[in-house]
Amino acid sequence: MEQKDIRFRKTRDLGAIITDSFEFLKQEIKPISRILLVYVLPFVVLYVVAQIYMQRNVLSRFDLNDPENLMANIGPFYSNLFLFMLFGLFINSLLVGTYYSYLEAYIKLGKGNFTLHDISSRFFSNSLLALGAGLLYTAAIILGIFMCVLPGIYIANTLSLIAFIAIFEKKGISDAVSKSWRLVNSQWWNTLALNIVSILIVYAVGTILSLPTILLGFSTGIFAPADVNLADFPDWYWMWTGFASVLTTLLSVIPVTFLAFQYFNLEERENPGGVNP
């Protein structure tokens, strides 16, 4: 089947954004997989290993029935959790920066008019932009959640385009924040629906992949002796958990693709007839 050069800048409804996003991912699956395997996968594997280590060696020490044990391990738990969250933010920024570097080359240079070298020359600086946007985005959401849950949701949705805007337009984080705020508020509910759909897709795939370990966890909790903890789970459990976590993390390309198409949809609605990538 002949592949087409997908036009990004175009007004689309919710269904068209989802359909065109999956069409783009299907057409470009080979080069996208290649750059993710080269630049992102090794760090994702390290992230998953750290995640498994935390579950087996930190969470397994907690005994909710022993207050002294709980207090003795609460400090290491929070320090490990903080480092783990920072590592997760770095991984997400690396994935977004690398993938959006591919999108940037595809949109600005045209399908088939760029090589892996064109991506490698962009992904480091773009990953730094994604990291800066991610730190600001996370801080804003945490602040909104402390105020109340609803402000956190509003901020998360309204600022969801900042990473793509920062990378594609390269006018600075503050400009990306103001533009994301303006664009998203022109179709706030549409963007929220798009974000929810993308999260549900990734969550559904992750749940399906985790079914064997979920079943094992339930059976262990119900039928095993009371002193069984995470450290007692078999090695295959952790290997499968690691595989599912790696794949679920890489599936983050789905929501970020949705957001890229939504950016051009909103940009075209705001400025009809602009430069048409």
Side-chain angles (χ1 to χ4, degrees):
M1 183 180 296
E2 184 179 354
Q3 295 186 343
K4 62 179 181 179
D5 187 4
I6 294 179
R7 180 186 179 196
F8 274 76
R9 188 182 180 106
K10 179 181 177 182
T11 57
R12 293 175 170 91
D13 59 20
L14 183 66
I17 289 174
I18 295 172
T19 301
D20 287 352
S21 293
F22 279 112
E23 178 65 24
F24 175 79
L25 289 171
K26 183 177 71 173
Q27 285 192 179
E28 303 299 312
I29 185 65
K30 289 184 179 180
I32 290 173
S33 298
R34 190 179 306 120
I35 63 170
L36 292 180
L37 289 175
V38 171
Y39 297 120
V40 180
L41 182 61
F43 295 96
V44 173
V45 171
L46 287 177
Y47 174 69
V48 170
V49 169
Q51 182 183 46
I52 293 174
Y53 173 84
M54 184 174 178
Q55 291 178 349
R56 294 191 68 173
N57 298 284
V58 178
L59 293 181
S60 61
R61 297 175 185 173
F62 281 88
D63 184 356
L64 298 178
N65 298 318
D66 185 352
E68 292 186 3
N69 172 274
L70 191 63
M71 294 303 297
N73 289 288
I74 197 70
F77 168 74
Y78 278 114
S79 61
N80 279 275
L81 180 63
F82 178 72
L83 292 174
F84 181 71
M85 290 177 62
L86 287 180
F87 194 17
L89 183 60
F90 165 76
I91 295 297
N92 182 71
S93 301
L94 183 63
L95 186 147
V96 169
T98 302
Y99 179 62
Y100 277 167
S101 295
Y102 184 84
L103 282 185
E104 182 185 15
Y106 183 99
I107 293 166
K108 293 182 177 179
L109 301 178
K111 177 179 175 63
N113 295 328
F114 59 94
T115 65
L116 187 62
H117 174 73
D118 295 308
I119 307 300
S120 61
S121 64
R122 300 166 186 250
F123 92 93
F124 180 74
S125 60
N126 285 345
S127 295
L128 287 179
L129 286 173
L131 180 60
L135 287 170
L136 179 61
Y137 183 70
T138 303
I141 293 174
I142 292 174
L143 178 62
I145 291 175
F146 275 128
M147 294 169 61
C148 189
V149 175
L150 291 179
I153 295 174
Y154 177 79
I155 292 172
N157 187 57
T158 306
L159 299 182
S160 58
L161 297 180
I162 61 172
F164 185 79
I165 295 173
I167 290 173
F168 189 76
E169 297 191 358
K170 292 184 171 57
K171 295 180 180 178
I173 299 297
S174 61
D175 183 83
V177 169
S178 61
K179 186 157 188 178
S180 178
W181 196 280
R182 185 178 73 251
L183 288 177
V184 172
N185 276 305
S186 67
Q187 284 201 348
W188 195 88
W189 290 105
N190 179 282
T191 306
L192 178 64
L194 196 65
N195 282 319
I196 290 174
V197 168
S198 66
I199 291 171
L200 289 177
I201 290 172
V202 176
Y203 179 79
V205 174
T207 301
I208 293 171
L209 288 172
S210 300
L211 279 177
T213 57
I214 290 173
L215 293 175
L216 176 63
F218 284 149
S219 63
T220 301
I222 295 173
F223 300 108
D227 59 348
V228 167
N229 59 31
L230 292 172
D232 298 318
F233 279 39
D235 289 340
W236 77 263
Y237 174 95
W238 298 109
M239 292 176 63
W240 186 265
T241 298
F243 167 75
S245 297
V246 168
L247 188 56
T248 303
T249 301
L250 294 177
L251 285 177
S252 297
V253 297
I254 294 175
V256 296
T257 304
F258 284 7
L259 291 173
F261 275 95
Q262 176 69 338
Y263 162 80
F264 285 109
N265 165 50
L266 299 178
E267 175 72 12
E268 177 64 15
R269 291 175 186 271
E270 182 183 76
N271 182 28
V275 178
N276 216 335

